[in-house]
Amino acid sequence: MDALLHSSGQAGQQASEGLVPWLNAREEATQSLVNHGWQRLYSALTPHRASVTLLDPSESLQISLQIPIDDGEGLGGDWDLWIEACNRQLSVPLRLWLEEQGVERMALCRLSGIGEQSMAQPLDLKAMLQVARWLQDPIETIEAIAKAHSSQLVLHLAGLGPNS
């Protein structure tokens, strides 16, 4: 009986150690966003995936990353990155942050609902494609980490418009 309990404990420890690379990958993938003020809403770990969800400082956008955990049957599961709109327009703090990153001011004003109300547009799929372009550097970083783990990154966009 003691031998059975001992071997069971070793198996649990080995399984926990096997998760460390995936947890490290999750942290590395989200570090650039966290460094720019994105708030970690939650991190989760299940037998099948490690995930994290972040909210931008102005609460206009939410990003969720889901990384499949290798169960010993091979590498290469797709990493899913979701970029979702939380408000109908980009808020002023997010607009200012993107402006500091070099994003063109008129496009940001239009999506922020600043100026003429007729120019304000919801964050529909077309706008979310533009947002994804603005977030190109963090997305490329996450994609490189996925490739280093023999995986590919699948980008999902969700806006608030009627066709999103």
Side-chain angles (χ1 to χ4, degrees):
M1 182 64 114
D2 285 337
L4 181 60
L5 291 175
H6 184 66
S7 65
S8 170
Q10 286 179 335
Q13 182 179 358
Q14 288 173 344
S16 295
E17 290 172 359
L19 296 176
V20 170
W22 301 110
L23 297 175
N24 289 342
R26 179 182 70 188
E27 294 308 307
E28 184 181 356
T30 59
Q31 194 59 47
S32 70
L33 293 166
V34 170
N35 289 345
H36 285 98
W38 289 64
Q39 176 186 1
R40 187 184 316 265
L41 293 180
Y42 59 87
S43 297
L45 180 65
T46 70
H48 303 287
R49 72 175 161 250
S51 60
V52 62
T53 298
L54 303 142
L55 185 66
D56 85 272
S58 66
E59 301 183 359
S60 293
L61 299 174
Q62 175 178 298
I63 290 182
S64 297
L65 176 63
Q66 298 176 352
I67 302 171
I69 295 175
D70 181 14
D71 58 2
E73 295 180 9
L75 299 171
D78 292 345
W79 289 27
D80 290 303
L81 181 67
W82 292 84
I83 302 177
E84 302 176 60
C86 299
N87 291 319
R88 293 195 62 79
Q89 284 94 22
L90 297 179
S91 65
V92 174
L94 180 59
R95 180 181 61 82
L96 293 174
W97 177 73
L98 289 169
E99 198 173 291
E100 288 174 8
Q101 307 304 310
V103 177
E104 196 269 323
R105 180 178 287 206
M106 277 309 296
L108 286 171
C109 288
R110 181 177 49 83
L111 293 177
S112 300
I114 295 173
E116 295 180 32
Q117 286 300 341
S118 62
M119 292 182 66
Q121 296 181 2
L123 289 174
D124 58 8
L125 193 54
K126 181 180 176 185
M128 291 304 292
L129 282 170
Q130 185 63 45
V131 168
R133 285 185 199 102
W134 295 334
L135 295 172
Q136 184 174 347
D137 288 342
I139 292 170
E140 286 178 351
T141 299
I142 295 168
E143 183 178 38
I145 297 167
K147 284 181 181 180
H149 286 86
S150 302
S151 300
Q152 70 176 1
L153 182 66
V154 178
L155 180 62
H156 305 269
L157 301 174
L160 296 173
N163 296 320
S164 293

